[in-house]
Amino acid sequence: MSLVRAERRRFLKRRLIKWLLVIAVALFAIIAAAIFLNNEKVSPQRIAAAEAQAQRNYEDSVVQWHTEHDLRCKSVTEGTPEADMCAQDMEPQREWFTPDLPSTFIFKKDFSPLITVWAALLAVIAFVIGASFVGAEWSTGSMMTLLTWRPRRIQVLSTKLAVLAGWLTAISAVSLALWTGAFWLTAQLRGSTDGMTSGTWQSLGLTGLRGLGLVLAVGIVGFLLATLGRHTGVALGVALGVIIVGQVGLGIVLGLLQVPFLEAYLLPSHLMAWMDKQYIVQNWSVDCTGPGPCLPETRTLTWEGTGSIALAAALVLAVVAFWQIKRRDIA
């Protein structure tokens, strides 16, 4: 039996992987069901009635504002604080009055953020799958047994990594197709599918591809960390340390030091930059003593920059993992 076929069977037979996939399906089903039940289709007549009511509310508010403004500001003396306050009064604007409509699922507008939800949840599952796929073999001793009759260490590890990447790609593709179908049905029954052009589908497809890249990257990192530590728990411990120490602790320290563009050093910002193509971080530590509006400085994180950093880190981790399995004693 070929090594690739054996690794495929080993992947499918792991009970932890089966349970993780069941948990993933359950989570996705709960989210999809909750969104389906919390939305409803709105008829054109109801939209028109709500728009008319919003217009009436706006007109009534303008009349009321003018009445109160004239009563309060008619006799004030120019140059007094009261006159300055009256001059700053703003007449109600039409955009402040939105139609009072129930939540309805607009596929063109609402589905893109849900691709990010899909990718983030599946990436967590992929990390545990990747770590357990190789970590369990190290902890149980089956890796040493395998390398006894198949002493080509690099080939064995490469095959395991390739099989993991293949299965994660298949799982991601199937789950994204089902995810898309579920919300397309939600939009048809509880919202709208209007405005879906070929360009919109292309944009959603590219977002899905970036989501696939995220799932694969996180799963492979889990695999490499478990390879280095020779135990699933090592990979999980490193992940927990990165989240608690590397993110929460780092955020607190950077905040105390008033480091500009603090969010640029945190993983969630880069996750959003990767999935949304860009993410703008702000620096409010600016001098507001001068004239004019006090606006924060901004910096844009791009998906290309985030992807380059992630790729470089993964390559370094891969080189170290393959070097240590070749040089280190496997006993």
Side-chain angles (χ1 to χ4, degrees), residues 53-114:
Q53 183 61 50
Q55 180 65 27
R56 287 193 295 269
N57 292 339
Y58 163 67
E59 293 171 355
D60 292 343
S61 180
V62 170
V63 172
Q64 182 181 358
W65 180 86
H66 278 290
T67 301
E68 295 178 354
H69 181 78
D70 292 344
L71 182 63
R72 180 165 50 89
C73 300
K74 187 175 182 179
S75 59
V76 298
T77 303
E78 186 176 350
T80 62
E82 291 80 6
D84 293 338
M85 292 180 62
C86 288
Q88 294 175 8
D89 282 350
M90 181 179 291
E91 181 179 331
Q93 304 296 306
R94 178 61 181 87
E95 58 267 21
W96 298 353
F97 299 84
T98 56
D100 185 14
L101 291 169
S103 177
T104 185
F105 190 83
I106 309 300
F107 191 89
K108 182 177 181 178
K109 174 176 67 73
D110 296 331
F111 183 62
S112 183
L114 290 171

Short mmCIF file of all heavy atoms in Angstrom, two decimals, residues 53-114:
data_model
loop_
_atom_site.label_atom_id
_atom_site.label_comp_id
_atom_site.label_asym_id
_atom_site.label_seq_id
_atom_site.Cartn_x
_atom_site.Cartn_y
_atom_site.Cartn_z
N GLN A 53 -43.55 56.72 6.27
CA GLN A 53 -43.59 57.04 7.68
C GLN A 53 -42.30 57.75 8.11
O GLN A 53 -42.34 58.72 8.90
CB GLN A 53 -43.78 55.77 8.51
CG GLN A 53 -43.91 56.01 10.01
CD GLN A 53 -45.10 56.88 10.35
OE1 GLN A 53 -46.21 56.63 9.91
NE2 GLN A 53 -44.87 57.93 11.16
N ALA A 54 -41.16 57.32 7.59
CA ALA A 54 -39.89 57.98 7.91
C ALA A 54 -39.89 59.41 7.39
O ALA A 54 -39.39 60.33 8.07
CB ALA A 54 -38.73 57.20 7.30
N GLN A 55 -40.47 59.63 6.21
CA GLN A 55 -40.56 60.98 5.67
C GLN A 55 -41.44 61.87 6.55
O GLN A 55 -41.10 63.03 6.82
CB GLN A 55 -41.11 60.94 4.24
CG GLN A 55 -41.24 62.29 3.56
CD GLN A 55 -39.90 62.98 3.34
OE1 GLN A 55 -38.88 62.32 3.21
NE2 GLN A 55 -39.92 64.31 3.31
N ARG A 56 -42.57 61.33 7.02
CA ARG A 56 -43.45 62.10 7.90
C ARG A 56 -42.76 62.42 9.21
O ARG A 56 -42.88 63.54 9.74
CB ARG A 56 -44.74 61.31 8.15
CG ARG A 56 -45.68 61.27 6.94
CD ARG A 56 -47.05 60.76 7.35
NE ARG A 56 -47.00 59.37 7.80
CZ ARG A 56 -47.17 58.33 6.99
NH1 ARG A 56 -47.37 58.51 5.69
NH2 ARG A 56 -47.12 57.10 7.47
N ASN A 57 -42.02 61.45 9.75
CA ASN A 57 -41.29 61.70 10.99
C ASN A 57 -40.25 62.82 10.80
O ASN A 57 -40.05 63.67 11.69
CB ASN A 57 -40.59 60.43 11.47
CG ASN A 57 -41.58 59.37 11.92
OD1 ASN A 57 -42.74 59.67 12.24
ND2 ASN A 57 -41.14 58.12 11.94
N TYR A 58 -39.60 62.81 9.66
CA TYR A 58 -38.61 63.85 9.36
C TYR A 58 -39.27 65.21 9.28
O TYR A 58 -38.78 66.19 9.87
CB TYR A 58 -37.91 63.51 8.05
CG TYR A 58 -37.17 64.67 7.44
CD1 TYR A 58 -36.05 65.22 8.06
CD2 TYR A 58 -37.61 65.24 6.23
CE1 TYR A 58 -35.38 66.30 7.50
CE2 TYR A 58 -36.95 66.30 5.68
CZ TYR A 58 -35.83 66.84 6.30
OH TYR A 58 -35.18 67.90 5.75
N GLU A 59 -40.37 65.31 8.57
CA GLU A 59 -41.05 66.59 8.41
C GLU A 59 -41.58 67.10 9.74
O GLU A 59 -41.47 68.30 10.04
CB GLU A 59 -42.19 66.44 7.40
CG GLU A 59 -41.68 66.16 5.98
CD GLU A 59 -42.81 65.81 5.03
OE1 GLU A 59 -43.97 65.68 5.51
OE2 GLU A 59 -42.54 65.64 3.82
N ASP A 60 -42.14 66.21 10.56
CA ASP A 60 -42.62 66.63 11.89
C ASP A 60 -41.48 67.12 12.75
O ASP A 60 -41.61 68.09 13.51
CB ASP A 60 -43.34 65.46 12.57
CG ASP A 60 -44.64 65.10 11.88
OD1 ASP A 60 -45.14 65.91 11.08
OD2 ASP A 60 -45.14 63.97 12.11
N SER A 61 -40.33 66.44 12.65
CA SER A 61 -39.18 66.82 13.46
C SER A 61 -38.65 68.19 13.04
O SER A 61 -38.24 68.99 13.89
CB SER A 61 -38.08 65.77 13.33
OG SER A 61 -36.95 66.11 14.09
N VAL A 62 -38.67 68.47 11.75
CA VAL A 62 -38.20 69.78 11.27
C VAL A 62 -39.11 70.89 11.77
O VAL A 62 -38.63 71.94 12.25
CB VAL A 62 -38.14 69.78 9.73
CG1 VAL A 62 -37.90 71.21 9.21
CG2 VAL A 62 -37.03 68.87 9.23
N VAL A 63 -40.43 70.66 11.72
CA VAL A 63 -41.37 71.66 12.21
C VAL A 63 -41.16 71.90 13.70
O VAL A 63 -41.12 73.05 14.18
CB VAL A 63 -42.82 71.21 11.92
CG1 VAL A 63 -43.81 72.15 12.63
CG2 VAL A 63 -43.08 71.19 10.43
N GLN A 64 -41.01 70.81 14.46
CA GLN A 64 -40.81 70.93 15.90
C GLN A 64 -39.50 71.65 16.21
O GLN A 64 -39.43 72.49 17.11
CB GLN A 64 -40.83 69.56 16.55
CG GLN A 64 -40.67 69.59 18.06
CD GLN A 64 -40.68 68.19 18.66
OE1 GLN A 64 -40.84 67.19 17.96
NE2 GLN A 64 -40.53 68.12 19.97
N TRP A 65 -38.47 71.36 15.44
CA TRP A 65 -37.16 72.00 15.68
C TRP A 65 -37.26 73.50 15.44
O TRP A 65 -36.74 74.31 16.22
CB TRP A 65 -36.11 71.39 14.75
CG TRP A 65 -34.74 71.98 14.94
CD1 TRP A 65 -33.79 71.61 15.83
CD2 TRP A 65 -34.19 73.09 14.21
NE1 TRP A 65 -32.68 72.39 15.71
CE2 TRP A 65 -32.88 73.32 14.73
CE3 TRP A 65 -34.66 73.90 13.18
CZ2 TRP A 65 -32.06 74.32 14.25
CZ3 TRP A 65 -33.84 74.91 12.70
CH2 TRP A 65 -32.55 75.11 13.23
N HIS A 66 -37.89 73.89 14.35
CA HIS A 66 -38.01 75.31 14.05
C HIS A 66 -38.83 76.03 15.13
O HIS A 66 -38.48 77.16 15.52
CB HIS A 66 -38.67 75.51 12.68
CG HIS A 66 -37.71 75.38 11.54
ND1 HIS A 66 -36.74 76.31 11.28
CD2 HIS A 66 -37.55 74.40 10.61
CE1 HIS A 66 -36.03 75.93 10.22
NE2 HIS A 66 -36.51 74.77 9.79
N THR A 67 -39.88 75.38 15.61
CA THR A 67 -40.70 76.00 16.64
C THR A 67 -39.89 76.23 17.91
O THR A 67 -39.89 77.33 18.49
CB THR A 67 -41.92 75.12 16.95
OG1 THR A 67 -42.69 74.95 15.76
CG2 THR A 67 -42.80 75.75 18.02
N GLU A 68 -39.18 75.20 18.37
CA GLU A 68 -38.38 75.32 19.59
C GLU A 68 -37.21 76.26 19.39
O GLU A 68 -36.85 77.03 20.29
CB GLU A 68 -37.89 73.93 20.00
CG GLU A 68 -39.01 72.98 20.41
CD GLU A 68 -38.49 71.61 20.77
OE1 GLU A 68 -37.27 71.38 20.58
OE2 GLU A 68 -39.29 70.77 21.24
N HIS A 69 -36.58 76.21 18.21
CA HIS A 69 -35.44 77.07 17.95
C HIS A 69 -35.85 78.55 17.95
O HIS A 69 -35.16 79.40 18.55
CB HIS A 69 -34.82 76.70 16.61
CG HIS A 69 -33.62 77.52 16.25
ND1 HIS A 69 -32.37 77.29 16.79
CD2 HIS A 69 -33.47 78.59 15.41
CE1 HIS A 69 -31.50 78.17 16.31
NE2 HIS A 69 -32.14 78.96 15.45
N ASP A 70 -36.95 78.85 17.28
CA ASP A 70 -37.41 80.24 17.24
C ASP A 70 -37.81 80.74 18.63
O ASP A 70 -37.53 81.89 18.99
CB ASP A 70 -38.61 80.36 16.29
CG ASP A 70 -38.20 80.13 14.84
OD1 ASP A 70 -36.98 80.18 14.56
OD2 ASP A 70 -39.08 79.86 13.99
N LEU A 71 -38.46 79.86 19.40
CA LEU A 71 -38.89 80.25 20.74
C LEU A 71 -37.70 80.52 21.65
O LEU A 71 -37.70 81.46 22.45
CB LEU A 71 -39.78 79.15 21.33
CG LEU A 71 -40.36 79.41 22.73
CD1 LEU A 71 -41.29 80.63 22.70
CD2 LEU A 71 -41.08 78.18 23.25
N ARG A 72 -36.66 79.73 21.50
CA ARG A 72 -35.50 79.83 22.40
C ARG A 72 -34.49 80.88 21.93
O ARG A 72 -33.81 81.50 22.74
CB ARG A 72 -34.83 78.46 22.50
CG ARG A 72 -33.60 78.40 23.39
CD ARG A 72 -33.23 76.97 23.72
NE ARG A 72 -33.18 76.15 22.52
CZ ARG A 72 -32.08 75.99 21.77
NH1 ARG A 72 -30.98 76.64 22.10
NH2 ARG A 72 -32.10 75.22 20.72
N CYS A 73 -34.38 81.08 20.62
CA CYS A 73 -33.29 81.90 20.11
C CYS A 73 -33.74 83.23 19.50
O CYS A 73 -32.91 84.01 19.03
CB CYS A 73 -32.53 81.11 19.03
SG CYS A 73 -31.80 79.57 19.63
N LYS A 74 -35.02 83.48 19.51
CA LYS A 74 -35.52 84.68 18.85
C LYS A 74 -35.03 85.96 19.51
O LYS A 74 -34.70 86.95 18.83
CB LYS A 74 -37.06 84.65 18.83
CG LYS A 74 -37.68 85.76 18.03
CD LYS A 74 -39.20 85.59 17.97
CE LYS A 74 -39.83 86.69 17.12
NZ LYS A 74 -41.31 86.52 17.05
N SER A 75 -34.94 85.97 20.81
CA SER A 75 -34.62 87.21 21.52
C SER A 75 -33.23 87.22 22.14
O SER A 75 -32.94 88.06 22.98
CB SER A 75 -35.66 87.45 22.62
OG SER A 75 -35.68 86.37 23.53
N VAL A 76 -32.35 86.31 21.78
CA VAL A 76 -31.01 86.29 22.36
C VAL A 76 -30.18 87.41 21.76
O VAL A 76 -30.39 87.84 20.62
CB VAL A 76 -30.32 84.92 22.14
CG1 VAL A 76 -31.09 83.81 22.81
CG2 VAL A 76 -30.13 84.66 20.66
N THR A 77 -29.21 87.87 22.54
CA THR A 77 -28.33 88.95 22.09
C THR A 77 -27.14 88.37 21.35
O THR A 77 -26.51 87.40 21.80
CB THR A 77 -27.85 89.77 23.30
OG1 THR A 77 -29.01 90.25 24.01
CG2 THR A 77 -27.01 90.95 22.85
N GLU A 78 -26.81 88.97 20.24
CA GLU A 78 -25.70 88.48 19.43
C GLU A 78 -24.38 88.62 20.20
O GLU A 78 -24.14 89.62 20.85
CB GLU A 78 -25.61 89.29 18.13
CG GLU A 78 -24.56 88.74 17.16
CD GLU A 78 -24.56 89.48 15.84
OE1 GLU A 78 -25.50 90.30 15.61
OE2 GLU A 78 -23.64 89.26 15.06
N GLY A 79 -23.55 87.60 20.12
CA GLY A 79 -22.26 87.60 20.80
C GLY A 79 -22.28 86.96 22.17
O GLY A 79 -21.24 86.78 22.79
N THR A 80 -23.44 86.60 22.67
CA THR A 80 -23.56 85.95 23.97
C THR A 80 -23.41 84.43 23.80
O THR A 80 -23.56 83.89 22.69
CB THR A 80 -24.91 86.26 24.61
OG1 THR A 80 -25.95 85.73 23.76
CG2 THR A 80 -25.09 87.76 24.77
N PRO A 81 -23.10 83.72 24.91
CA PRO A 81 -23.02 82.26 24.82
C PRO A 81 -24.31 81.63 24.29
O PRO A 81 -24.26 80.62 23.57
CB PRO A 81 -22.73 81.84 26.27
CG PRO A 81 -22.07 83.03 26.88
CD PRO A 81 -22.71 84.22 26.25
N GLU A 82 -25.46 82.20 24.66
CA GLU A 82 -26.72 81.66 24.17
C GLU A 82 -26.82 81.78 22.65
O GLU A 82 -27.31 80.88 21.97
CB GLU A 82 -27.90 82.38 24.83
CG GLU A 82 -28.07 82.11 26.32
CD GLU A 82 -27.11 82.92 27.16
OE1 GLU A 82 -26.39 83.78 26.58
OE2 GLU A 82 -27.04 82.69 28.38
N ALA A 83 -26.34 82.90 22.11
CA ALA A 83 -26.35 83.09 20.66
C ALA A 83 -25.43 82.08 19.97
O ALA A 83 -25.76 81.56 18.90
CB ALA A 83 -25.94 84.51 20.32
N ASP A 84 -24.27 81.83 20.59
CA ASP A 84 -23.35 80.84 20.01
C ASP A 84 -23.99 79.46 19.99
O ASP A 84 -23.85 78.70 19.02
CB ASP A 84 -22.05 80.81 20.80
CG ASP A 84 -21.25 82.11 20.65
OD1 ASP A 84 -21.49 82.82 19.64
OD2 ASP A 84 -20.42 82.39 21.53
N MET A 85 -24.68 79.11 21.07
CA MET A 85 -25.36 77.82 21.12
C MET A 85 -26.46 77.73 20.08
O MET A 85 -26.64 76.70 19.42
CB MET A 85 -25.93 77.59 22.52
CG MET A 85 -24.88 77.40 23.61
SD MET A 85 -25.61 77.14 25.24
CE MET A 85 -26.52 75.63 24.97
N CYS A 86 -27.19 78.80 19.90
CA CYS A 86 -28.25 78.81 18.89
C CYS A 86 -27.65 78.65 17.49
O CYS A 86 -28.24 77.99 16.62
CB CYS A 86 -29.06 80.09 18.98
SG CYS A 86 -30.14 80.16 20.44
N ALA A 87 -26.49 79.28 17.25
CA ALA A 87 -25.85 79.19 15.94
C ALA A 87 -25.37 77.77 15.64
O ALA A 87 -25.26 77.38 14.47
CB ALA A 87 -24.69 80.17 15.85
N GLN A 88 -25.08 77.01 16.69
CA GLN A 88 -24.59 75.65 16.51
C GLN A 88 -25.72 74.64 16.38
O GLN A 88 -25.47 73.48 16.07
CB GLN A 88 -23.69 75.27 17.68
CG GLN A 88 -22.39 76.07 17.74
CD GLN A 88 -21.56 75.75 18.98
OE1 GLN A 88 -21.89 74.84 19.73
NE2 GLN A 88 -20.51 76.53 19.21
N ASP A 89 -26.95 75.06 16.64
CA ASP A 89 -28.07 74.14 16.49
C ASP A 89 -28.14 73.64 15.05
O ASP A 89 -28.03 74.42 14.09
CB ASP A 89 -29.39 74.84 16.85
CG ASP A 89 -29.56 74.95 18.37
OD1 ASP A 89 -28.78 74.31 19.08
OD2 ASP A 89 -30.47 75.67 18.81
N MET A 90 -28.34 72.35 14.89
CA MET A 90 -28.41 71.76 13.56
C MET A 90 -29.82 71.28 13.27
O MET A 90 -30.41 70.54 14.06
CB MET A 90 -27.41 70.60 13.42
CG MET A 90 -27.42 69.95 12.04
SD MET A 90 -26.23 68.60 11.90
CE MET A 90 -24.70 69.52 11.98
N GLU A 91 -30.32 71.68 12.15
CA GLU A 91 -31.64 71.23 11.74
C GLU A 91 -31.61 69.73 11.45
O GLU A 91 -30.62 69.22 10.91
CB GLU A 91 -32.08 72.00 10.49
CG GLU A 91 -33.47 71.63 9.99
CD GLU A 91 -33.86 72.44 8.77
OE1 GLU A 91 -33.39 73.58 8.65
OE2 GLU A 91 -34.64 71.93 7.96
N PRO A 92 -32.64 68.99 11.82
CA PRO A 92 -32.67 67.55 11.55
C PRO A 92 -32.43 67.25 10.07
O PRO A 92 -32.93 67.96 9.19
CB PRO A 92 -34.07 67.14 11.99
CG PRO A 92 -34.47 68.16 12.99
CD PRO A 92 -33.84 69.44 12.54
N GLN A 93 -31.67 66.21 9.80
CA GLN A 93 -31.35 65.80 8.44
C GLN A 93 -32.17 64.58 8.05
O GLN A 93 -32.50 63.73 8.89
CB GLN A 93 -29.85 65.48 8.31
CG GLN A 93 -28.94 66.63 8.74
CD GLN A 93 -29.09 67.85 7.86
OE1 GLN A 93 -28.98 67.76 6.65
NE2 GLN A 93 -29.38 68.99 8.48
N ARG A 94 -32.46 64.47 6.77
CA ARG A 94 -33.32 63.37 6.30
C ARG A 94 -32.70 62.00 6.57
O ARG A 94 -33.42 61.04 6.90
CB ARG A 94 -33.59 63.54 4.80
CG ARG A 94 -34.43 62.41 4.16
CD ARG A 94 -35.80 62.35 4.81
NE ARG A 94 -36.62 61.27 4.26
CZ ARG A 94 -36.61 60.02 4.70
NH1 ARG A 94 -35.79 59.69 5.73
NH2 ARG A 94 -37.38 59.11 4.17
N GLU A 95 -31.38 61.91 6.45
CA GLU A 95 -30.75 60.59 6.64
C GLU A 95 -30.81 60.09 8.07
O GLU A 95 -30.52 58.92 8.33
CB GLU A 95 -29.28 60.63 6.17
CG GLU A 95 -28.42 61.66 6.86
CD GLU A 95 -28.37 62.98 6.11
OE1 GLU A 95 -29.29 63.24 5.30
OE2 GLU A 95 -27.42 63.76 6.35
N TRP A 96 -31.18 60.96 9.01
CA TRP A 96 -31.33 60.50 10.40
C TRP A 96 -32.58 59.64 10.58
O TRP A 96 -32.69 58.93 11.57
CB TRP A 96 -31.43 61.70 11.35
CG TRP A 96 -30.22 62.58 11.37
CD1 TRP A 96 -29.02 62.36 10.76
CD2 TRP A 96 -30.10 63.84 12.05
NE1 TRP A 96 -28.15 63.39 11.00
CE2 TRP A 96 -28.78 64.32 11.80
CE3 TRP A 96 -30.94 64.59 12.85
CZ2 TRP A 96 -28.31 65.52 12.30
CZ3 TRP A 96 -30.47 65.81 13.36
CH2 TRP A 96 -29.17 66.26 13.09
N PHE A 97 -33.48 59.69 9.65
CA PHE A 97 -34.76 59.01 9.80
C PHE A 97 -34.83 57.85 8.81
O PHE A 97 -35.09 58.04 7.62
CB PHE A 97 -35.92 59.99 9.58
CG PHE A 97 -35.94 61.12 10.56
CD1 PHE A 97 -35.16 62.26 10.35
CD2 PHE A 97 -36.71 61.04 11.72
CE1 PHE A 97 -35.17 63.31 11.27
CE2 PHE A 97 -36.71 62.09 12.63
CZ PHE A 97 -35.94 63.22 12.41
N THR A 98 -34.56 56.66 9.31
CA THR A 98 -34.56 55.48 8.46
C THR A 98 -35.87 54.73 8.61
O THR A 98 -36.52 54.79 9.66
CB THR A 98 -33.40 54.54 8.84
OG1 THR A 98 -33.50 54.21 10.24
CG2 THR A 98 -32.06 55.22 8.60
N PRO A 99 -36.27 54.01 7.58
CA PRO A 99 -37.52 53.24 7.66
C PRO A 99 -37.45 52.19 8.75
O PRO A 99 -36.42 51.52 8.93
CB PRO A 99 -37.63 52.60 6.27
CG PRO A 99 -36.75 53.41 5.39
CD PRO A 99 -35.65 53.92 6.25
N ASP A 100 -38.52 52.03 9.49
CA ASP A 100 -38.60 51.04 10.55
C ASP A 100 -39.01 49.71 9.94
O ASP A 100 -40.20 49.42 9.80
CB ASP A 100 -39.61 51.48 11.62
CG ASP A 100 -39.63 50.53 12.81
OD1 ASP A 100 -38.70 49.71 12.91
OD2 ASP A 100 -40.57 50.61 13.62
N LEU A 101 -38.01 48.91 9.55
CA LEU A 101 -38.27 47.65 8.87
C LEU A 101 -37.63 46.51 9.65
O LEU A 101 -36.60 46.69 10.31
CB LEU A 101 -37.70 47.68 7.45
CG LEU A 101 -38.38 48.62 6.46
CD1 LEU A 101 -37.56 48.73 5.19
CD2 LEU A 101 -39.79 48.12 6.14
N PRO A 102 -38.20 45.32 9.58
CA PRO A 102 -37.57 44.17 10.23
C PRO A 102 -36.29 43.78 9.50
O PRO A 102 -36.06 44.18 8.36
CB PRO A 102 -38.65 43.07 10.10
CG PRO A 102 -39.43 43.46 8.89
CD PRO A 102 -39.46 44.96 8.90
N SER A 103 -35.47 43.02 10.18
CA SER A 103 -34.22 42.57 9.57
C SER A 103 -34.51 41.66 8.39
O SER A 103 -35.32 40.73 8.48
CB SER A 103 -33.39 41.82 10.61
OG SER A 103 -32.20 41.32 10.04
N THR A 104 -33.87 41.95 7.27
CA THR A 104 -34.02 41.12 6.08
C THR A 104 -32.65 40.83 5.50
O THR A 104 -31.76 41.69 5.52
CB THR A 104 -34.93 41.82 5.05
OG1 THR A 104 -35.15 40.94 3.95
CG2 THR A 104 -34.30 43.11 4.55
N PHE A 105 -32.44 39.63 5.01
CA PHE A 105 -31.11 39.19 4.58
C PHE A 105 -30.90 39.57 3.11
O PHE A 105 -31.55 39.02 2.22
CB PHE A 105 -30.96 37.68 4.76
CG PHE A 105 -29.55 37.20 4.55
CD1 PHE A 105 -28.63 37.26 5.57
CD2 PHE A 105 -29.15 36.69 3.32
CE1 PHE A 105 -27.32 36.84 5.38
CE2 PHE A 105 -27.85 36.26 3.12
CZ PHE A 105 -26.93 36.33 4.16
N ILE A 106 -29.99 40.50 2.89
CA ILE A 106 -29.63 40.93 1.53
C ILE A 106 -28.33 40.22 1.17
O ILE A 106 -27.27 40.54 1.71
CB ILE A 106 -29.46 42.46 1.46
CG1 ILE A 106 -30.67 43.17 2.05
CG2 ILE A 106 -29.22 42.89 0.01
CD1 ILE A 106 -31.97 42.84 1.37
N PHE A 107 -28.40 39.26 0.27
CA PHE A 107 -27.25 38.41 -0.01
C PHE A 107 -26.04 39.22 -0.45
O PHE A 107 -24.92 38.97 0.01
CB PHE A 107 -27.62 37.40 -1.10
CG PHE A 107 -26.60 36.31 -1.27
CD1 PHE A 107 -26.67 35.15 -0.52
CD2 PHE A 107 -25.56 36.45 -2.18
CE1 PHE A 107 -25.72 34.14 -0.67
CE2 PHE A 107 -24.61 35.46 -2.34
CZ PHE A 107 -24.69 34.30 -1.58
N LYS A 108 -26.24 40.21 -1.32
CA LYS A 108 -25.12 40.99 -1.84
C LYS A 108 -24.38 41.72 -0.74
O LYS A 108 -23.14 41.84 -0.77
CB LYS A 108 -25.63 41.99 -2.89
CG LYS A 108 -24.54 42.82 -3.54
CD LYS A 108 -25.10 43.73 -4.61
CE LYS A 108 -24.00 44.54 -5.27
NZ LYS A 108 -24.51 45.41 -6.35
N LYS A 109 -25.10 42.20 0.26
CA LYS A 109 -24.51 43.01 1.33
C LYS A 109 -24.08 42.19 2.53
O LYS A 109 -23.07 42.49 3.17
CB LYS A 109 -25.51 44.10 1.76
CG LYS A 109 -25.11 44.94 2.95
CD LYS A 109 -26.11 46.03 3.21
CE LYS A 109 -27.44 45.45 3.67
NZ LYS A 109 -27.39 44.93 5.07
N ASP A 110 -24.86 41.15 2.86
CA ASP A 110 -24.68 40.46 4.13
C ASP A 110 -23.85 39.18 4.06
O ASP A 110 -23.41 38.69 5.10
CB ASP A 110 -26.06 40.10 4.72
CG ASP A 110 -26.88 41.34 5.05
OD1 ASP A 110 -26.26 42.38 5.36
OD2 ASP A 110 -28.11 41.28 4.99
N PHE A 111 -23.62 38.64 2.85
CA PHE A 111 -22.94 37.35 2.81
C PHE A 111 -21.44 37.46 2.96
O PHE A 111 -20.80 36.57 3.54
CB PHE A 111 -23.28 36.61 1.51
CG PHE A 111 -22.66 35.24 1.44
CD1 PHE A 111 -22.99 34.26 2.37
CD2 PHE A 111 -21.73 34.94 0.47
CE1 PHE A 111 -22.41 33.00 2.32
CE2 PHE A 111 -21.14 33.68 0.41
CZ PHE A 111 -21.49 32.71 1.34
N SER A 112 -20.83 38.53 2.47
CA SER A 112 -19.37 38.65 2.53
C SER A 112 -18.83 38.55 3.96
O SER A 112 -17.85 37.82 4.21
CB SER A 112 -18.93 39.96 1.88
OG SER A 112 -17.52 40.07 1.87
N PRO A 113 -19.41 39.25 4.96
CA PRO A 113 -18.91 39.07 6.33
C PRO A 113 -19.07 37.64 6.84
O PRO A 113 -18.27 37.18 7.67
CB PRO A 113 -19.78 40.03 7.15
CG PRO A 113 -20.27 41.04 6.18
CD PRO A 113 -20.45 40.31 4.90
N LEU A 114 -20.07 36.92 6.32
CA LEU A 114 -20.27 35.54 6.77
C LEU A 114 -19.21 34.60 6.21
O LEU A 114 -18.96 33.54 6.78
CB LEU A 114 -21.67 35.07 6.37
CG LEU A 114 -22.81 35.73 7.15
CD1 LEU A 114 -24.15 35.38 6.53
CD2 LEU A 114 -22.77 35.31 8.61
#
